[in-house]
Amino acid sequence: ALAGRAVHGEKVAMKTVLISQPMYFPWVGMLEQMALADVWVHLDDAQFSKGGFFNRVQIKTTDGTPWLTVPLAENKLGQRLNEAQPATHDWQRKHRTTLQQSYATGPHVAEMLALVESVFAAGHASLAGLSAASMEALADSFEVMPETVLRSSEMAAIEGGGSERVLAICRELGAKRYVTGQGAADYLDHAAFDEAGIAVEYMDYEKRAYPQLHGDFTPFVSALDLLANCGQAGRDVIAPRTVCWKDFVK
């Protein structure tokens, strides 16, 4: 369904595009982004960089919030996400075991583990493929899957980088609204989007609390945590809000 805004009492359709690098079983905030999108673009040909969330995510355990990290077969300088390959040794078994132990008392742990297994079983050859699949599996589970999902590497060649490339993709897709995470404020050319007639909005994460294991609530862990604790009812936690770029950058 198309997103809409009320104008003089009428609902006007606005094609909403979101673009993001694929992330490994990401936090709930990424599902809020997916819930808003008419068209979602996995930026799968972005460069891999250490310290990102392409191949790692935090979970809750009795010992805090450690990282689940997908090791790479090799790490070449300038390697793109769709070129990076997960290591061939059985890192999946370690992730399964950690999740089983950490969420053993979660009321919906079996559902969560089945989702993880479905992603692993597909045997994705690239990091981009694995992480994109993990995002889509979570979005499907919580019924927030965008109507259209694309990969930037499969789109027509679009020159440039950063803000220029994002704007070019939005134009190619006929976007009327572009929603993005808060980090984009560091590089996005808002004036260029305004000139193109594309409204830019930033996520305004509510970080809605839900029952969690292992101490005080934290929103900054994998949405697998939400699934293990709440099951399908976790959909109510995914409550996206946005703010106009002019208000956000004040």
Side-chain angles (χ1 to χ4, degrees), residues 159-190:
E159 301 298 325
S163 182
E164 183 182 358
R165 189 179 188 208
V166 170
L167 178 56
I169 291 173
C170 286
R171 279 176 162 159
E172 177 74 16
L173 296 172
K176 294 299 181 184
R177 179 171 71 147
Y178 175 61
V179 179
T180 185
Q182 297 175 353
D186 295 333
Y187 68 86
L188 215 59
D189 184 347
H190 302 105

Side-chain angles (χ1 to χ4, degrees), residues 27-67:
W27 77 300
V28 171
M30 291 306 298
L31 297 184
E32 292 182 352
Q33 292 192 37
M34 296 185 84
L36 290 173
D38 298 313
V39 182
W40 179 273
V41 180
H42 289 298
L43 200 65
D44 66 332
D45 54 0
Q47 286 190 353
F48 175 83
S49 59
K50 290 184 177 180
F53 302 103
F54 321 112
N55 68 323
R56 64 178 194 153
V57 72
Q58 289 175 287
I59 61 169
K60 282 194 78 177
T61 73
T62 54
D63 297 319
T65 54
W67 294 92

Side-chain angles (χ1 to χ4, degrees), residues 140-211:
D140 267 334
S141 179
F142 289 114
E143 298 182 347
V144 294
M145 189 71 173
E147 184 175 319
T148 302
V149 177
L150 304 172
R151 299 190 182 196
S152 57
S153 63
E154 298 172 348
M155 298 178 66
I158 296 176
E159 301 298 325
S163 182
E164 183 182 358
R165 189 179 188 208
V166 170
L167 178 56
I169 291 173
C170 286
R171 279 176 162 159
E172 177 74 16
L173 296 172
K176 294 299 181 184
R177 179 171 71 147
Y178 175 61
V179 179
T180 185
Q182 297 175 353
D186 295 333
Y187 68 86
L188 215 59
D189 184 347
H190 302 105
F193 278 80
D194 281 350
E195 290 174 9
I198 300 172
V200 174
E201 297 175 14
Y202 284 88
M203 294 298 298
D204 181 18
Y205 300 114
E206 182 179 341
K207 307 180 189 73
R208 185 174 294 184
Y210 59 88

